[in-house]
Amino acid sequence: MAAHASRSFDPTRVVHLSGRFAPVTDEVDEAGLQVLGELPDELDGLFLRNGPNPRFSPIGSFLYPIDGDGMLHGVWLSGGRARYRNRFVRTPAVVAEERAGRALWGGIESLIMPQVPDVEPELAGTFRDLPDINVVRHAGRLLALAESDCPFLMTPDLETVGKETFGGALPAGITAHPKTDPVTGEMMVFCYGLEPPYLTWSAIGPTGTVTRGPTTVDGLDEPMMIHDMGLTERFLVIVLAPVFFDIAAAMNGGSMIDWRPERGTRVALVPRDGGPVRWASDEAFWLWHTVNAYDTEAGDVVLDYVQWTRLSLGAPDGSRAPNTAGLVRAVIDPEAGTMRRTVLDDARMELPRTDDRLIGRPHRQFAVAADSGNPDLLPGEFDALRWYDGGDTSGTSVVWQAGDLSVGEPVFAPSPGTGPGGGGHWMTYATDRTDNTSWLLVIPADDPGSGPVARVRIPVRVPLGLHGNWLPTEE
């Protein structure tokens, strides 16, 4: 595949390679971290986040948040003390570039791929692995996740083991946003591809064995971009916004990403028992992330998510209208194929999370990163946290204004011994815009508007974005 790359690409002009988003290259280990306030004794485990962090200055192009090497930032908490470690996800491309001392692969839109003798024959002409979106633990395995590609298996101390194909059962990979059923322990996944079949789904059992291999979702005739999903007791809920991959355009200097609003947005309800897919459709909208989904007694499917007017990625679509965000609830009738959408709050927000013990069931408290309206924030930067009640459709929220701190995705850490929806704390990384110091914030779930009860100083700046999880110490 030939490269069309713009040799005039200037990474210093890319917003998401600068400021609070700028990558870091030092790998650091530090114990006895400074704590302001008091860490709750109940917090015993690892707060771990992944995100795009190019090892070397990018060439050709850079498409945030897809491009970039994965870097894991972990804070281990125990007995009121904290220690930190960060590590690159050392894919074959990272190893080859470290050997060369420079970037060899371009961004995905540039189609720059190295050849022999710069790389080994098995890497020549290949795309780089990009396990830089999320990190989860399932069946005792720590997985750095990519956008519909194979994850990378990591050790408990964040060293890279290698590409994970689940015993060869999922060679094309999985989504960056799998959903684990808290009752059955199954991890449900999808994967989209540039060639048929364009969309498949699979199930990974609680022991880590693939119990359903890649199963085609019929109804797609072109490759589409799909970032997240919902899960209910009956269905995988996969939203297909009209975002298509145009490889021909990319090879001729255009954008690989093509937003086609005239096609509308469809929702696939994929029965977990393997039955026929149910479809619903509506006017075009885009979503990056879901809050949660669940079945109602009446047989409908409820999906809460952050909705955008259109995709904010790749080349501009020519629209002069603002790309607005908001919290939306969709109620989907699987039998009638209809969908009713209600805007719960039109505040600008992203990165929603709830208590993962309620995935697939009606949720209560959930949190988002939000924008206070500060005009100095960069795209994708947030300076507030909001909390909502999933049982309240009024859109009422509790807000904590973070002041000079730019906050990341809020993650829930349940209190030991509590049931789903019980007490706990919210955690997120934050960076001070006045001095670029980074902190781990710990906020009580029972009074989130009061702000952090503890702030842990991180010895390096943690670049803004993307996803992570609280991993309690396993007995």
Side-chain angles (χ1 to χ4, degrees):
M1 185 178 290
H4 76 68
S6 170
R7 298 296 175 180
S8 62
F9 170 72
D10 182 0
T12 66
R13 299 176 64 85
V14 178
V15 167
H16 294 109
L17 291 172
S18 63
R20 275 85 65 186
F21 288 92
V24 296
T25 56
D26 290 338
E27 294 179 316
V28 176
D29 295 86
E30 188 167 320
L33 301 182
Q34 177 189 7
V35 178
L36 302 183
E38 187 172 349
L39 284 169
D41 287 336
E42 68 182 47
L43 291 176
D44 194 298
L46 167 62
F47 180 76
L48 187 60
R49 200 215 71 186
N50 197 358
N53 191 102
R55 178 66 180 84
F56 295 97
S57 182
I59 58 174
S61 67
F62 185 81
L63 190 64
Y64 181 86
I66 308 302
D67 275 325
D69 299 304
M71 177 175 275
L72 302 180
H73 297 265
V75 175
W76 283 258
L77 303 177
S78 184
R81 296 177 62 81
R83 65 180 177 92
Y84 169 83
R85 167 177 284 188
N86 68 319
R87 290 292 185 272
F88 278 102
V89 182
R90 284 199 152 73
T91 64
V94 170
V95 173
E97 290 183 339
E98 288 182 331
R99 188 181 303 120
R102 60 184 175 87
L104 299 173
W105 279 261
I108 58 173
E109 288 201 299
S110 76
L111 302 181
I112 296 176
M113 289 171 272
Q115 304 295 327
V116 176
D118 289 332
V119 295
E120 296 86 349
E122 59 269 21
L123 293 179
T126 65
F127 286 101
R128 73 182 303 128
D129 298 297
L130 297 170
D132 61 350
I133 305 294
N134 197 0
V135 57
V136 301
R137 185 174 67 191
H138 182 255
R141 289 185 292 199
L142 190 62
L143 301 172
L145 299 171
E147 177 78 5
S148 278
D149 201 350
C150 290
F152 272 68
L153 181 65
M154 311 298 292
T155 68
D157 58 0
L158 310 188
E159 301 300 335
T160 303
V161 177
K163 187 175 290 190
E164 177 62 73
T165 63
F166 302 91
L170 298 176
I174 64 175
T175 173
H177 286 286
K179 295 292 185 287
T180 298
D181 188 315
V183 175
T184 69
E186 293 176 290
M187 187 165 75
M188 312 302 294
V189 304
F190 70 86
C191 184
Y192 64 77
L194 297 179
E195 298 177 349
Y198 296 115
L199 179 62
T200 61
W201 69 280
S202 305
I204 304 168
T207 64
T209 300
V210 174
T211 54
R212 174 182 283 273
T215 303
T216 299
V217 177
D218 293 323
L220 282 75
D221 56 8
E222 293 182 76
M224 303 183 70
M225 179 178 174
I226 309 162
H227 187 66
D228 199 358
M229 61 175 279
L231 182 69
T232 78
E233 294 182 70
R234 294 184 296 160
F235 298 107
L236 284 76
V237 185
I238 305 177
V239 177
L240 285 73
V243 177
F244 297 85
F245 289 103
D246 191 336
I247 302 301
M251 295 183 68
N252 287 284
S255 175
M256 181 183 293
I257 309 298
D258 190 10
W259 171 251
R260 305 175 191 170
E262 70 279 3
R263 299 283 290 268
T265 291
R266 298 189 296 161
V267 177
L269 300 179
V270 182
R272 292 171 60 174
D273 64 7
V277 176
R278 318 288 181 84
W279 290 93
S281 60
D282 207 339
E283 295 179 353
F285 65 87
W286 169 256
L287 73 81
W288 281 109
H289 301 113
T290 65
V291 178
N292 189 33
Y294 58 87
D295 303 311
T296 69
E297 293 183 359
D300 291 335
V301 172
V302 173
L303 175 68
D304 286 352
Y305 64 97
V306 175
Q307 177 175 292
W308 292 85
T309 307
R310 62 185 183 276
L311 175 66
S312 53
L313 180 72
D317 66 354
S319 173
R320 294 187 178 182
N323 189 17
T324 58
L327 178 64
V328 171
R329 170 163 292 182
V331 180
I332 305 159
D333 184 334
E335 301 303 323
T338 58
M339 176 168 57
R340 305 187 310 276
R341 290 184 287 146
T342 302
V343 177
L344 304 181
D345 194 350
D346 60 2
R348 192 173 182 86
M349 66 182 75
E350 249 305 340
L351 306 172
R353 292 294 296 269
T354 190
D355 182 345
D356 286 347
R357 300 173 299 175
L358 286 173
I359 286 177
R361 281 78 186 167
H363 51 280
R364 297 305 301 260
Q365 187 183 60
F366 63 94
V368 300
D371 180 347
S372 71
N374 183 346
D376 294 329
L377 296 182
L378 300 171
E381 186 173 20
F382 301 97
D383 62 349
L385 296 172
R386 289 177 177 263
W387 288 265
Y388 299 85
D389 184 340
D392 178 5
T393 58
S394 70
T396 301
S397 64
V398 174
V399 182
W400 177 66
Q401 300 288 356
D404 290 328
L405 295 177
S406 294
V407 297
E409 175 189 54
V411 173
F412 186 69
S415 296
T418 63
H425 292 82
W426 290 90
M427 309 173 74
T428 186
Y429 284 127
T431 295
D432 191 319
R433 295 188 298 279
T434 66
D435 61 9
N436 274 337
T437 57
S438 289
W439 302 80
L440 172 63
L441 309 182
V442 179
I443 300 172
D446 59 0
D447 185 18
S450 64
V453 296
R455 306 180 187 218
V456 181
R457 172 70 184 272
I458 309 301
V460 299
R461 179 178 52 80
V462 179
L464 296 181
L466 280 174
H467 302 290
N469 283 284
W470 168 249
L471 308 176
T473 300
E474 295 180 318
E475 298 294 335

